[in-house]
mmCIF file of all heavy atoms in Angstrom:
data_model
loop_
_atom_site.group_PDB
_atom_site.id
_atom_site.type_symbol
_atom_site.label_atom_id
_atom_site.label_comp_id
_atom_site.label_asym_id
_atom_site.label_seq_id
_atom_site.Cartn_x
_atom_site.Cartn_y
_atom_site.Cartn_z
ATOM 1 N N ASN A 410 4.107 31.439 -99.444
ATOM 2 C CA ASN A 410 3.004 32.306 -99.846
ATOM 3 C C ASN A 410 3.539 33.527 -100.603
ATOM 4 O O ASN A 410 3.015 33.905 -101.641
ATOM 5 C CB ASN A 410 2.242 32.730 -98.602
ATOM 6 C CG ASN A 410 1.157 33.739 -98.920
ATOM 7 O OD1 ASN A 410 0.302 33.452 -99.746
ATOM 8 N ND2 ASN A 410 1.208 34.897 -98.288
ATOM 9 N N ASN A 526 9.033 40.990 -97.175
ATOM 10 C CA ASN A 526 7.685 41.364 -96.750
ATOM 11 C C ASN A 526 7.474 42.852 -96.805
ATOM 12 O O ASN A 526 6.493 43.340 -97.371
ATOM 13 C CB ASN A 526 7.468 40.924 -95.296
ATOM 14 C CG ASN A 526 6.632 39.684 -95.221
ATOM 15 O OD1 ASN A 526 5.672 39.562 -95.959
ATOM 16 N ND2 ASN A 526 7.018 38.780 -94.341
ATOM 17 N N LEU A 527 8.415 43.586 -96.172
ATOM 18 C CA LEU A 527 8.263 45.043 -96.104
ATOM 19 C C LEU A 527 8.328 45.652 -97.506
ATOM 20 O O LEU A 527 7.567 46.567 -97.834
ATOM 21 C CB LEU A 527 9.351 45.652 -95.203
ATOM 22 C CG LEU A 527 9.325 45.177 -93.742
ATOM 23 C CD1 LEU A 527 10.427 45.873 -92.932
ATOM 24 C CD2 LEU A 527 7.971 45.449 -93.108
ATOM 25 N N ASN A 530 5.063 44.873 -99.379
ATOM 26 C CA ASN A 530 3.965 45.724 -98.888
ATOM 27 C C ASN A 530 4.108 47.144 -99.430
ATOM 28 O O ASN A 530 3.128 47.755 -99.866
ATOM 29 C CB ASN A 530 3.947 45.763 -97.361
ATOM 30 C CG ASN A 530 3.289 44.522 -96.774
ATOM 31 O OD1 ASN A 530 2.627 43.783 -97.502
ATOM 32 N ND2 ASN A 530 3.488 44.290 -95.492
ATOM 33 N N ALA A 531 5.351 47.666 -99.391
ATOM 34 C CA ALA A 531 5.580 49.034 -99.870
ATOM 35 C C ALA A 531 5.273 49.109 -101.365
ATOM 36 O O ALA A 531 4.597 50.030 -101.840
ATOM 37 C CB ALA A 531 7.025 49.443 -99.589
ATOM 38 N N ASP A 532 5.738 48.092 -102.111
ATOM 39 C CA ASP A 532 5.535 48.063 -103.557
ATOM 40 C C ASP A 532 4.044 48.060 -103.874
ATOM 41 O O ASP A 532 3.563 48.768 -104.743
ATOM 42 C CB ASP A 532 6.225 46.812 -104.115
ATOM 43 C CG ASP A 532 6.253 46.846 -105.637
ATOM 44 O OD1 ASP A 532 6.614 47.913 -106.185
ATOM 45 O OD2 ASP A 532 5.890 45.823 -106.259
ATOM 46 N N GLU A 533 3.336 47.233 -103.069
ATOM 47 C CA GLU A 533 1.896 47.135 -103.264
ATOM 48 C C GLU A 533 1.210 48.479 -102.998
ATOM 49 O O GLU A 533 0.309 48.894 -103.716
ATOM 50 C CB GLU A 533 1.337 46.093 -102.292
ATOM 51 C CG GLU A 533 -0.007 45.607 -102.666
ATOM 52 C CD GLU A 533 0.020 44.087 -102.859
ATOM 53 O OE1 GLU A 533 1.130 43.535 -103.060
ATOM 54 O OE2 GLU A 533 -1.034 43.495 -102.801
ATOM 55 N N ALA A 534 1.640 49.140 -101.897
ATOM 56 C CA ALA A 534 1.026 50.427 -101.527
ATOM 57 C C ALA A 534 1.304 51.499 -102.587
ATOM 58 O O ALA A 534 0.590 52.489 -102.668
ATOM 59 C CB ALA A 534 1.563 50.873 -100.164
ATOM 60 N N VAL A 559 12.154 51.006 -93.842
ATOM 61 C CA VAL A 559 11.681 50.935 -95.227
ATOM 62 C C VAL A 559 10.540 51.941 -95.331
ATOM 63 O O VAL A 559 9.494 51.747 -94.697
ATOM 64 C CB VAL A 559 11.183 49.507 -95.548
ATOM 65 C CG1 VAL A 559 10.662 49.444 -96.981
ATOM 66 C CG2 VAL A 559 12.299 48.497 -95.336
ATOM 67 N N ASP A 561 7.920 54.326 -97.666
ATOM 68 C CA ASP A 561 7.339 54.513 -99.005
ATOM 69 C C ASP A 561 6.519 55.792 -98.996
ATOM 70 O O ASP A 561 6.159 56.303 -97.928
ATOM 71 C CB ASP A 561 6.487 53.309 -99.405
ATOM 72 C CG ASP A 561 5.285 53.126 -98.520
ATOM 73 O OD1 ASP A 561 4.402 54.004 -98.529
ATOM 74 O OD2 ASP A 561 5.225 52.088 -97.785
ATOM 75 N N GLY A 563 3.508 56.008 -100.325
ATOM 76 C CA GLY A 563 2.164 55.586 -100.727
ATOM 77 C C GLY A 563 1.108 56.275 -99.877
ATOM 78 O O GLY A 563 1.360 57.296 -99.243
ATOM 79 N N PRO A 564 -0.104 55.695 -99.817
ATOM 80 C CA PRO A 564 -1.203 56.346 -99.090
ATOM 81 C C PRO A 564 -1.065 56.278 -97.565
ATOM 82 O O PRO A 564 -1.774 56.971 -96.849
ATOM 83 C CB PRO A 564 -2.426 55.550 -99.559
ATOM 84 C CG PRO A 564 -1.903 54.225 -99.965
ATOM 85 C CD PRO A 564 -0.517 54.439 -100.477
ATOM 86 N N GLY A 565 -0.176 55.386 -97.055
ATOM 87 C CA GLY A 565 -0.041 55.238 -95.596
ATOM 88 C C GLY A 565 -1.097 54.306 -95.031
ATOM 89 O O GLY A 565 -1.873 53.693 -95.777
ATOM 90 N N VAL A 566 -1.120 54.215 -93.709
ATOM 91 C CA VAL A 566 -2.029 53.274 -93.034
ATOM 92 C C VAL A 566 -3.158 54.052 -92.368
ATOM 93 O O VAL A 566 -2.924 55.068 -91.723
ATOM 94 C CB VAL A 566 -1.257 52.443 -91.980
ATOM 95 C CG1 VAL A 566 -2.192 51.513 -91.215
ATOM 96 C CG2 VAL A 566 -0.141 51.644 -92.655
ATOM 97 N N GLU A 567 -4.372 53.566 -92.561
ATOM 98 C CA GLU A 567 -5.546 54.197 -91.933
ATOM 99 C C GLU A 567 -5.391 54.156 -90.408
ATOM 100 O O GLU A 567 -4.902 53.140 -89.869
ATOM 101 C CB GLU A 567 -6.813 53.395 -92.303
ATOM 102 C CG GLU A 567 -7.185 53.457 -93.770
ATOM 103 C CD GLU A 567 -7.566 54.860 -94.205
ATOM 104 O OE1 GLU A 567 -8.308 55.514 -93.458
ATOM 105 O OE2 GLU A 567 -7.085 55.305 -95.277
ATOM 106 N N ALA A 570 -6.440 51.074 -88.607
ATOM 107 C CA ALA A 570 -5.732 49.827 -88.942
ATOM 108 C C ALA A 570 -4.424 49.691 -88.159
ATOM 109 O O ALA A 570 -3.864 48.600 -88.057
ATOM 110 C CB ALA A 570 -5.441 49.789 -90.441
ATOM 111 N N LYS A 573 -3.953 47.025 -85.520
ATOM 112 C CA LYS A 573 -4.037 45.615 -85.919
ATOM 113 C C LYS A 573 -2.943 45.199 -86.893
ATOM 114 O O LYS A 573 -2.862 44.026 -87.261
ATOM 115 C CB LYS A 573 -5.405 45.353 -86.575
ATOM 116 C CG LYS A 573 -6.566 45.716 -85.686
ATOM 117 C CD LYS A 573 -7.864 45.505 -86.431
ATOM 118 C CE LYS A 573 -8.813 46.688 -86.214
ATOM 119 N NZ LYS A 573 -9.797 46.847 -87.229
ATOM 120 N N LEU A 574 -2.101 46.175 -87.287
ATOM 121 C CA LEU A 574 -1.110 45.891 -88.340
ATOM 122 C C LEU A 574 -0.335 44.595 -88.121
ATOM 123 O O LEU A 574 -0.160 43.800 -89.051
ATOM 124 C CB LEU A 574 -0.094 47.035 -88.398
ATOM 125 C CG LEU A 574 -0.459 48.221 -89.269
ATOM 126 C CD1 LEU A 574 0.694 49.213 -89.266
ATOM 127 C CD2 LEU A 574 -0.744 47.774 -90.699
ATOM 128 N N PHE A 575 0.118 44.402 -86.851
ATOM 129 C CA PHE A 575 1.007 43.259 -86.587
ATOM 130 C C PHE A 575 0.239 42.033 -86.082
ATOM 131 O O PHE A 575 0.849 41.060 -85.653
ATOM 132 C CB PHE A 575 2.097 43.666 -85.580
ATOM 133 C CG PHE A 575 3.018 44.726 -86.125
ATOM 134 C CD1 PHE A 575 2.842 46.062 -85.819
ATOM 135 C CD2 PHE A 575 4.052 44.369 -86.992
ATOM 136 C CE1 PHE A 575 3.682 47.031 -86.340
ATOM 137 C CE2 PHE A 575 4.898 45.341 -87.516
ATOM 138 C CZ PHE A 575 4.713 46.690 -87.194
ATOM 139 N N SER A 576 -1.101 42.114 -86.106
ATOM 140 C CA SER A 576 -1.876 40.943 -85.689
ATOM 141 C C SER A 576 -1.976 39.985 -86.872
ATOM 142 O O SER A 576 -2.069 40.412 -88.028
ATOM 143 C CB SER A 576 -3.295 41.342 -85.288
ATOM 144 O OG SER A 576 -3.251 42.420 -84.416
ATOM 145 N N PHE A 578 -3.413 37.513 -89.548
ATOM 146 C CA PHE A 578 -4.610 37.458 -90.403
ATOM 147 C C PHE A 578 -5.324 38.801 -90.576
ATOM 148 O O PHE A 578 -6.480 38.852 -90.932
ATOM 149 C CB PHE A 578 -5.615 36.395 -89.893
ATOM 150 C CG PHE A 578 -4.959 35.057 -89.686
ATOM 151 C CD1 PHE A 578 -4.887 34.480 -88.426
ATOM 152 C CD2 PHE A 578 -4.362 34.393 -90.758
ATOM 153 C CE1 PHE A 578 -4.250 33.279 -88.226
ATOM 154 C CE2 PHE A 578 -3.737 33.181 -90.558
ATOM 155 C CZ PHE A 578 -3.668 32.620 -89.292
ATOM 156 N N TYR A 579 -4.605 39.885 -90.293
ATOM 157 C CA TYR A 579 -5.200 41.189 -90.597
ATOM 158 C C TYR A 579 -4.679 41.648 -91.960
ATOM 159 O O TYR A 579 -3.466 41.773 -92.166
ATOM 160 C CB TYR A 579 -4.848 42.248 -89.533
ATOM 161 C CG TYR A 579 -5.331 43.620 -89.955
ATOM 162 C CD1 TYR A 579 -6.690 43.944 -89.879
ATOM 163 C CD2 TYR A 579 -4.450 44.549 -90.510
ATOM 164 C CE1 TYR A 579 -7.145 45.164 -90.322
ATOM 165 C CE2 TYR A 579 -4.902 45.775 -90.954
ATOM 166 C CZ TYR A 579 -6.254 46.083 -90.863
ATOM 167 O OH TYR A 579 -6.706 47.279 -91.329
ATOM 168 N N SER A 580 -5.610 41.858 -92.884
ATOM 169 C CA SER A 580 -5.199 42.283 -94.225
ATOM 170 C C SER A 580 -6.283 43.158 -94.836
ATOM 171 O O SER A 580 -7.469 42.954 -94.582
ATOM 172 C CB SER A 580 -4.967 41.048 -95.109
ATOM 173 O OG SER A 580 -4.712 41.467 -96.432
ATOM 174 N N THR A 581 -5.848 44.149 -95.598
ATOM 175 C CA THR A 581 -6.837 44.972 -96.314
ATOM 176 C C THR A 581 -6.810 44.633 -97.800
ATOM 177 O O THR A 581 -7.502 45.246 -98.597
ATOM 178 C CB THR A 581 -6.516 46.472 -96.130
ATOM 179 O OG1 THR A 581 -5.181 46.701 -96.543
ATOM 180 C CG2 THR A 581 -6.709 46.915 -94.690
ATOM 181 N N LYS A 582 -5.960 43.634 -98.119
ATOM 182 C CA LYS A 582 -5.817 43.290 -99.533
ATOM 183 C C LYS A 582 -6.824 42.204 -99.915
ATOM 184 O O LYS A 582 -7.193 41.380 -99.068
ATOM 185 C CB LYS A 582 -4.404 42.805 -99.811
ATOM 186 C CG LYS A 582 -3.383 43.878 -99.503
ATOM 187 C CD LYS A 582 -1.986 43.326 -99.561
ATOM 188 C CE LYS A 582 -1.038 44.322 -98.925
ATOM 189 N NZ LYS A 582 0.266 43.739 -98.685
ATOM 190 N N PHE A 584 -6.522 39.539 -101.815
ATOM 191 C CA PHE A 584 -6.034 38.157 -101.676
ATOM 192 C C PHE A 584 -4.950 38.039 -100.606
ATOM 193 O O PHE A 584 -4.176 37.091 -100.598
ATOM 194 C CB PHE A 584 -5.516 37.639 -103.024
ATOM 195 C CG PHE A 584 -6.598 37.620 -104.067
ATOM 196 C CD1 PHE A 584 -6.621 38.552 -105.101
ATOM 197 C CD2 PHE A 584 -7.618 36.683 -103.979
ATOM 198 C CE1 PHE A 584 -7.633 38.532 -106.041
ATOM 199 C CE2 PHE A 584 -8.640 36.664 -104.925
ATOM 200 C CZ PHE A 584 -8.658 37.591 -105.958
ATOM 201 N N GLY A 585 -4.899 39.034 -99.733
ATOM 202 C CA GLY A 585 -3.853 39.021 -98.689
ATOM 203 C C GLY A 585 -4.172 38.005 -97.594
ATOM 204 O O GLY A 585 -5.332 37.814 -97.236
ATOM 205 N N MET A 586 -3.118 37.331 -97.082
ATOM 206 C CA MET A 586 -3.324 36.387 -95.968
ATOM 207 C C MET A 586 -3.243 37.101 -94.618
ATOM 208 O O MET A 586 -3.700 36.593 -93.604
ATOM 209 C CB MET A 586 -2.255 35.293 -96.001
ATOM 210 C CG MET A 586 -2.729 34.082 -96.780
ATOM 211 S SD MET A 586 -1.464 32.838 -96.846
ATOM 212 C CE MET A 586 -1.267 32.367 -95.179
ATOM 213 N N GLY A 587 -2.575 38.233 -94.616
ATOM 214 C CA GLY A 587 -2.459 39.007 -93.360
ATOM 215 C C GLY A 587 -1.511 38.395 -92.362
ATOM 216 O O GLY A 587 -1.667 38.596 -91.156
ATOM 217 N N VAL A 588 -0.505 37.630 -92.851
ATOM 218 C CA VAL A 588 0.453 37.047 -91.893
ATOM 219 C C VAL A 588 1.838 37.662 -92.036
ATOM 220 O O VAL A 588 2.693 37.471 -91.159
ATOM 221 C CB VAL A 588 0.563 35.508 -92.036
ATOM 222 C CG1 VAL A 588 -0.726 34.845 -91.627
ATOM 223 C CG2 VAL A 588 0.966 35.119 -93.445
ATOM 224 N N GLY A 589 2.076 38.429 -93.100
ATOM 225 C CA GLY A 589 3.416 38.955 -93.377
ATOM 226 C C GLY A 589 4.000 39.737 -92.215
ATOM 227 O O GLY A 589 5.096 39.417 -91.723
ATOM 228 N N LEU A 590 3.252 40.757 -91.722
ATOM 229 C CA LEU A 590 3.807 41.610 -90.656
ATOM 230 C C LEU A 590 3.894 40.861 -89.324
ATOM 231 O O LEU A 590 4.833 41.074 -88.559
ATOM 232 C CB LEU A 590 2.958 42.875 -90.498
ATOM 233 C CG LEU A 590 3.160 43.920 -91.599
ATOM 234 C CD1 LEU A 590 2.255 45.128 -91.361
ATOM 235 C CD2 LEU A 590 4.615 44.379 -91.670
ATOM 236 N N SER A 591 2.901 39.983 -89.075
ATOM 237 C CA SER A 591 2.963 39.271 -87.785
ATOM 238 C C SER A 591 4.140 38.295 -87.772
ATOM 239 O O SER A 591 4.832 38.145 -86.760
ATOM 240 C CB SER A 591 1.637 38.590 -87.475
ATOM 241 O OG SER A 591 1.605 37.279 -87.952
ATOM 242 N N ILE A 592 4.432 37.649 -88.921
ATOM 243 C CA ILE A 592 5.608 36.760 -88.981
ATOM 244 C C ILE A 592 6.881 37.599 -88.863
ATOM 245 O O ILE A 592 7.821 37.227 -88.143
ATOM 246 C CB ILE A 592 5.606 35.980 -90.311
ATOM 247 C CG1 ILE A 592 4.383 35.081 -90.346
ATOM 248 C CG2 ILE A 592 6.911 35.248 -90.523
ATOM 249 C CD1 ILE A 592 4.576 33.651 -90.179
ATOM 250 N N PHE A 606 5.813 50.758 -86.613
ATOM 251 C CA PHE A 606 5.339 51.508 -87.775
ATOM 252 C C PHE A 606 5.229 52.980 -87.402
ATOM 253 O O PHE A 606 4.917 53.328 -86.267
ATOM 254 C CB PHE A 606 3.950 50.981 -88.184
ATOM 255 C CG PHE A 606 3.144 51.981 -88.933
ATOM 256 C CD1 PHE A 606 3.359 52.157 -90.306
ATOM 257 C CD2 PHE A 606 2.202 52.796 -88.299
ATOM 258 C CE1 PHE A 606 2.633 53.112 -91.002
ATOM 259 C CE2 PHE A 606 1.479 53.740 -89.005
ATOM 260 C CZ PHE A 606 1.695 53.898 -90.358
ATOM 261 N N GLY A 613 2.517 58.348 -96.655
ATOM 262 C CA GLY A 613 3.263 57.106 -96.795
ATOM 263 C C GLY A 613 3.483 56.436 -95.442
ATOM 264 O O GLY A 613 3.002 56.908 -94.415
ATOM 265 N N ALA A 614 4.172 55.310 -95.496
ATOM 266 C CA ALA A 614 4.388 54.517 -94.275
ATOM 267 C C ALA A 614 5.866 54.217 -94.103
ATOM 268 O O ALA A 614 6.599 54.072 -95.085
ATOM 269 C CB ALA A 614 3.606 53.214 -94.365
ATOM 270 N N VAL A 615 6.291 54.157 -92.844
ATOM 271 C CA VAL A 615 7.669 53.740 -92.546
ATOM 272 C C VAL A 615 7.578 52.544 -91.600
ATOM 273 O O VAL A 615 6.935 52.614 -90.552
ATOM 274 C CB VAL A 615 8.479 54.856 -91.847
ATOM 275 C CG1 VAL A 615 9.921 54.392 -91.605
ATOM 276 C CG2 VAL A 615 8.449 56.131 -92.646
ATOM 277 N N PHE A 616 8.193 51.431 -92.012
ATOM 278 C CA PHE A 616 8.321 50.278 -91.115
ATOM 279 C C PHE A 616 9.789 50.177 -90.757
ATOM 280 O O PHE A 616 10.649 50.155 -91.636
ATOM 281 C CB PHE A 616 7.820 48.996 -91.793
ATOM 282 C CG PHE A 616 6.323 48.952 -91.880
ATOM 283 C CD1 PHE A 616 5.638 49.519 -92.951
ATOM 284 C CD2 PHE A 616 5.583 48.354 -90.861
ATOM 285 C CE1 PHE A 616 4.257 49.485 -93.009
ATOM 286 C CE2 PHE A 616 4.194 48.311 -90.923
ATOM 287 C CZ PHE A 616 3.523 48.883 -91.994
HETATM 288 P P1 ADP B 701 -0.928 41.140 -96.266
HETATM 289 O O1 ADP B 701 0.192 41.797 -97.008
HETATM 290 O O2 ADP B 701 -1.151 39.736 -96.660
HETATM 291 O O3 ADP B 701 -2.162 41.957 -96.200
HETATM 292 P P2 ADP B 701 0.608 41.931 -94.022
HETATM 293 O O4 ADP B 701 0.650 41.450 -92.612
HETATM 294 O O5 ADP B 701 1.916 42.001 -94.698
HETATM 295 O O6 ADP B 701 -0.430 41.068 -94.762
HETATM 296 O O7 ADP B 701 -0.005 43.406 -94.014
HETATM 297 C C1 ADP B 701 -1.155 43.667 -93.290
HETATM 298 C C2 ADP B 701 -1.808 44.945 -93.720
HETATM 299 O O8 ADP B 701 -1.003 46.072 -93.369
HETATM 300 C C3 ADP B 701 -1.964 45.079 -95.207
HETATM 301 O O9 ADP B 701 -3.134 44.417 -95.646
HETATM 302 C C4 ADP B 701 -2.078 46.586 -95.367
HETATM 303 O O10 ADP B 701 -3.377 47.029 -95.116
HETATM 304 C C5 ADP B 701 -1.210 47.125 -94.263
HETATM 305 N N1 ADP B 701 0.105 47.565 -94.772
HETATM 306 C C6 ADP B 701 1.278 46.890 -94.684
HETATM 307 N N2 ADP B 701 2.290 47.615 -95.202
HETATM 308 C C7 ADP B 701 1.752 48.782 -95.680
HETATM 309 C C8 ADP B 701 2.273 49.952 -96.336
HETATM 310 N N3 ADP B 701 3.584 50.062 -96.652
HETATM 311 N N4 ADP B 701 1.400 50.954 -96.645
HETATM 312 C C9 ADP B 701 0.093 50.844 -96.315
HETATM 313 N N5 ADP B 701 -0.476 49.791 -95.692
HETATM 314 C C10 ADP B 701 0.347 48.740 -95.378
#
Side-chain angles (χ1 to χ4, degrees):
N410 175 56
N526 257 319
L527 299 181
N530 280 346
D532 190 47
E533 198 122 340
V559 179
D561 64 65
V566 177
E567 293 295 316
K573 303 177 225 157
L574 273 183
F575 295 98
S576 311
F578 308 117
Y579 173 75
S580 174
T581 55
K582 299 171 194 168
F584 299 107
M586 267 179 64
V588 293
L590 285 179
S591 91
I592 296 253
F606 156 82
V615 182
F616 286 87

